[in-house]
Amino acid sequence: MLRRCLLAASVLLSLVVAGCGNDAGGGGDGKVRVVAAFYPLQFVSERLGGDRVTVTNLTKAGAEPHDLELQPNQLAQIENADLVVYLAGFQPAVDEAVRGQAKDRSFDVAAVEALKDGPGDGDEPAGKDPHVWLDPVRLSVVVGQLADRMAEVDTAGAEEIKGRATQLQGELQELDKEFSTGLATCARRDIVTSHAAFRYLADRYKLNQIPISGLDPEAEPSPQQVTEVARLAKEKGVTTIFFEALVSPKLSETVAKEIGAKAAVLDPLEGVEGSDTYFTVMRANLTALRDALSCG
């Protein structure tokens, strides 16, 4: 009887130890569990981790990420993750969850390089512009530092992660060259956008962003703001007013109609859908910009 009890206790202890080891080293499939706050961070995490990671995106495809509200199962995913990749200040619910459940298992993209100030929304003060991923050069820096962090989590796969980082950084360097060359000689350099998502891209390639509204794509600009943007656009000979795939085009279409321009999509890559990737959407953005700015 005593022998049977000791055997049962030994089996139970083995199961407990095995369970604890599984929590520390990844999911039941042996892969590292990464939770990404929204698409660009999912894309980079998947490229770096390869088949060694399982990446969960908190923001579903096609959804606007700014005002994400986390469900109980998503909070559980954050709590059980080996690494949470997020951008502090962009999604308050994610910030709060990370502080409470994954502070020591997180990677904050906003801490990689200082964020620039964005314009305010009406009477609201300016916040920090989170859209660093729209600058391939800045994203390449993020890739390098995230690779280091992932290698700490997955020491067995560290060399593979570093190799993938080098490859991805090379692709981003090539994309940067395409933008630099493609936007080098243009008839105009002013881009009118529905909201202020493109400062990093504009600064990198010497363009001038004129946003209709500030950092929040859902914010309603005042009639005075709309009138002023329309005046500036007409004065500068703007032929295209850009709107985003995830936001209603009505505001941009209104300004376009008022000045005799057209409306077109410029995608901030916050919620990519279908078979598109970071690179396919960025190259579509380059085509749209070259057309709008009459680039040679």
Side-chain angles (χ1 to χ4, degrees), residues 69-84:
E69 294 183 5
L70 296 176
Q71 302 303 310
N73 68 308
Q74 293 175 306
L75 292 171
Q77 289 167 345
I78 291 173
E79 185 176 7
N80 294 323
D82 296 304
L83 184 65
V84 179

Side-chain angles (χ1 to χ4, degrees), residues 16-26:
V16 170
V17 171
C20 292
N22 184 57
D23 285 344

Side-chain angles (χ1 to χ4, degrees), residues 85-230:
V85 185
Y86 76 116
L87 197 156
F90 186 48
Q91 296 166 297
V94 177
D95 294 354
E96 183 178 352
V98 169
R99 282 194 300 269
Q101 302 175 47
K103 188 174 182 180
D104 296 330
R105 293 174 288 107
S106 63
F107 178 87
D108 177 12
V109 172
V112 173
E113 288 189 19
L115 299 181
K116 298 182 178 183
D117 290 327
D121 288 298
D123 295 330
E124 294 294 320
K128 293 296 182 181
D129 187 346
H131 302 88
V132 291
W133 59 88
L134 292 171
D135 177 349
V137 177
R138 279 181 173 256
L139 185 59
S140 182
V141 176
V142 172
V143 166
Q145 294 203 24
L146 179 55
D148 291 341
R149 185 70 176 88
M150 290 180 71
E152 292 174 3
V153 175
D154 181 16
T155 54
E159 289 304 314
E160 291 180 42
I161 292 168
K162 297 296 181 63
R164 293 191 191 97
T166 299
Q167 180 179 346
L168 181 53
Q169 287 175 317
E171 293 176 40
L172 289 168
Q173 183 179 34
E174 179 58 34
L175 182 66
D176 171 53
K177 289 179 181 177
E178 290 177 30
F179 268 80
S180 295
T181 302
L183 299 174
T185 54
C186 304
R188 295 171 296 279
R189 307 211 67 83
D190 299 289
I191 56 171
V192 178
T193 60
S194 57
H195 98 281
F198 297 93
R199 179 179 176 182
Y200 294 98
L201 185 150
D203 287 356
R204 175 64 59 188
Y205 303 111
K206 298 179 175 59
L207 305 177
N208 176 44
Q209 176 187 233
I210 303 173
I212 301 174
S213 63
L215 291 174
D216 183 355
E218 303 296 336
E220 288 288 338
S222 68
Q224 291 81 6
Q225 284 177 274
V226 177
T227 298
E228 176 61 13
V229 168

Side-chain angles (χ1 to χ4, degrees), residues 273-295:
E273 297 183 85
S275 60
D276 278 323
T277 69
Y278 174 86
F279 287 105
T280 62
V281 176
M282 282 293 284
R283 289 189 169 100
N285 282 344
L286 175 57
T287 298
L289 287 168
R290 283 178 51 80
D291 178 65
L293 301 175
S294 298
C295 302

Side-chain angles (χ1 to χ4, degrees), residues 59 63-68 90-92 130-131 195 215-217 244 270:
T59 306
E64 170 56 53
H66 290 76
D67 299 318
L68 175 68
F90 186 48
Q91 296 166 297
H131 302 88
H195 98 281
L215 291 174
D216 183 355
E244 299 172 22
E270 293 171 358

